[in-house]
């Protein structure tokens, strides 16, 4: 089909985008539109999401979430400003949602510098709630991969500030990625304290396959034996 024919086909979807986003079949049509059409042709999708304050509902939908993620990756910053703002307003809840967390991950990857900064500060200030959620741990891992060394340090310090939080994170599926970055970025003395907390929780961590991986990884940071309760001989 020619460009004109494709544009005419896309116009047939105007006014029906939200319904299509929630459909297990029609959402694939929208994904194809996003992948093949220029960003300017996708504005109708963004508008339909934002005009009725549906950003959170669509972002947390099994199929609609895919559309939100792809729009964040494809559209110009000016196009998705209102969408990004709506997502940031519900960032904590989205971080902890099984589907919604991917929208926040995409904001961290593709958002403007200001949006990324606000997202990071929200995560840091609400780390106790976010990092206790399996989906939230995934967001924290993504945040630490797409930020500056200084921001990584502040996130790491926020995590280790709560002694009960670090072992909890270590038992999550994406905990190893987070713990590895925490250990890597913390100054030596703070790193040693964090490792000691993990070792003291060794018995609990061994009940989780992910916790076992974290314990095993500590040896790579010069900790030697990681028996529960053993003193920290950290070189990290």
């Amino acid at each position: 089909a020619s460009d004109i024919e494709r544009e005419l086909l896309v116009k047939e979807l105007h006014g029906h985008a939200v319904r299509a986003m929630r459909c297990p079949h029609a959402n694939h049509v929208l994904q194809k539109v996003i992948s093949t059409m220029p960003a300017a042709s996708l504005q109708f999708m963004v508008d339909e999401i934002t005009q009725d304050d549906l950003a959170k509902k669509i972002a947390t939908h099994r199929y609609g979430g895919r559309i939100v993620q792809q729009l964040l990756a494809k559209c110009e910053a000016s196009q998705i400003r209102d969408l990004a703002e709506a997502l940031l307003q519900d960032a904590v809840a989205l971080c902890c949602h099984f589907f919604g967390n991917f929208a926040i991950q995409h904001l961290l990857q593709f958002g403007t510098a200001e949006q990324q900064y606000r997202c990071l500060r929200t995560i840091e200030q609400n780390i106790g709630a976010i990092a206790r959620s399996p989906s939230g741990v995934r967001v924290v891992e993504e945040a630490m991969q797409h930020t500056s060394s200084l921001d990584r340090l502040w996130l790491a310090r926020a995590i280790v500030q709560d002694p009960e939080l670090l072992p909890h994170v270590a038992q999550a599926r994406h905990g190893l990625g987070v713990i590895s970055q925490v250990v890597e970025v913390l100054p030596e003395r703070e790193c040693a304290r964090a490792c000691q907390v993990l070792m003291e929780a060794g018995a609990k961590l061994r009940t989780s396959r992910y916790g076992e991986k974290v314990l095993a990884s500590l040896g790579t940071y010069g900790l030697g034996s990681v028996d529960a309760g053993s003193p920290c001989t950290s070189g990290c």
Side-chain angles (χ1 to χ4, degrees), residues 63-151:
Y63 308 122
R66 303 171 185 173
I67 305 303
V68 171
Q69 295 158 36
Q70 292 183 33
L71 289 172
L72 291 172
K74 179 74 176 280
C75 292
E76 299 293 333
S78 58
Q79 288 182 270
I80 59 170
R81 181 179 59 250
D82 291 343
L83 174 58
E85 182 63 32
L87 295 173
L88 284 167
Q89 292 299 316
D90 286 308
V92 177
L94 290 170
C95 282
C96 300
H97 192 275
F98 187 78
F99 297 120
N101 77 88
F102 294 105
I104 299 302
Q105 289 189 55
H106 275 65
L107 261 185
L108 288 166
Q109 291 182 51
F110 304 107
T112 64
E114 179 191 3
Q115 291 162 358
Q116 291 172 336
Y117 177 81
R118 289 174 60 193
C119 201
L120 284 165
R121 294 287 77 79
T122 297
I123 295 170
E124 178 192 345
Q125 293 164 12
N126 296 275
I127 195 69
I130 292 172
R132 281 182 167 83
S133 160
S135 297
V137 174
R138 178 183 293 181
V139 174
V140 174
E141 180 183 32
E142 190 71 21
M144 297 192 80
Q145 291 174 351
H146 292 89
T147 190
S148 67
S149 297
L150 182 59
D151 283 326

